Amino acid sequence: MMNRALLGLVAGAAGTVALNIATYLDMAVRGRPASGVPAKMAGTVSHAAGIDLGGEQQAPNRREGLGALMGYLNGLGTGILVGLLSPALRSLPMPLASIVVGGAAMAGSDVPIAALRVSDPRTWGASGWLADIGPHLVYGFFAVGVFRWLERRSRMLRLHW
C-alpha cells in the first residue's frame, strides 16, 4: 500500500506539472488573465483559521503563494488517492480513468470554492469552465498514465519500499 501511495505521489506531481502547463498555455493562446480564485480561496481559509497574512503589502503576495500551494496540495493528494485506489482504477480503460481522476482533482478545488462561497461556478460561463475542465482532464491523463507506467516498471523490477 505504501508503494502505491508513493507511486501515486509521483504521478500526482506529474499531473500537476501537466495541469500547470495546460493552464499557462491556455492563458498564452487565449490571452486570458490568471484566475484570482486560488488567492481568494487562500485568503478565505486563512481568515477562517485566524491566520494573519500581514499588512497591505505582504498579504496579497501571501494569498497568491498560499493559493498556488493549495493547488499543489490538491494535485499531490489526488495522486496519492490514485495510488491507493489503483486496484479499482486498474479495471477502467485509460480514457475513463483519466476522466474520473481529472474530475476528482477538479472537485477537490471546485467543491471547497463553491462551499465557502469564494466563487459561484454557475456564473463562470463556457470560457471559465473550459479553463477549468481542460487542464483537469490533462491532469487526469498524466496522473493515470504516469502511475500505470511506474506501477508496471516497479513490478518488473520488483521495487518495493
Side-chain angles (χ1 to χ4, degrees):
M1 186 148 96
M2 180 63 96
N3 190 40
R4 290 195 323 256
L6 288 172
L7 295 179
L9 179 67
V10 173
T16 301
V17 169
L19 178 143
N20 286 336
I21 290 170
T23 298
Y24 293 127
L25 181 62
D26 176 49
M27 290 168 61
V29 168
R30 295 195 298 154
R32 72 169 180 85
S35 173
V37 172
K40 190 174 176 187
M41 180 69 174
T44 299
V45 170
S46 298
H47 178 74
I51 299 170
D52 180 15
L53 296 180
E56 289 181 29
Q57 290 185 351
Q58 295 119 348
N61 298 333
R62 288 185 174 136
R63 283 191 296 271
E64 286 289 329
L66 289 170
L69 289 171
M70 289 167 66
Y72 281 103
L73 182 63
N74 181 32
L76 297 172
T78 302
I80 291 170
L81 286 176
V82 166
L84 295 175
L85 299 175
S86 63
L89 290 171
R90 197 175 292 127
S91 65
L92 298 177
M94 177 72 175
L96 183 55
S98 298
I99 291 169
V100 168
V101 170
M106 194 166 108
S109 61
D110 291 354
V111 169
I113 286 168
L116 295 175
R117 297 188 175 139
V118 171
S119 180
D120 185 353
R122 295 175 295 184
T123 66
W124 291 355
S127 178
W129 279 104
L130 177 65
D132 196 35
I133 293 170
H136 282 99
L137 288 176
V138 170
Y139 171 91
F141 178 78
F142 275 86
V144 170
V146 167
F147 181 84
R148 288 181 176 183
W149 185 84
L150 289 171
E151 188 177 44
R152 280 193 306 272
R153 296 307 171 275
S154 70
R155 276 196 305 248
M156 285 173 38
L157 299 173
R158 294 189 180 138
L159 296 177
H160 299 285
W161 290 286

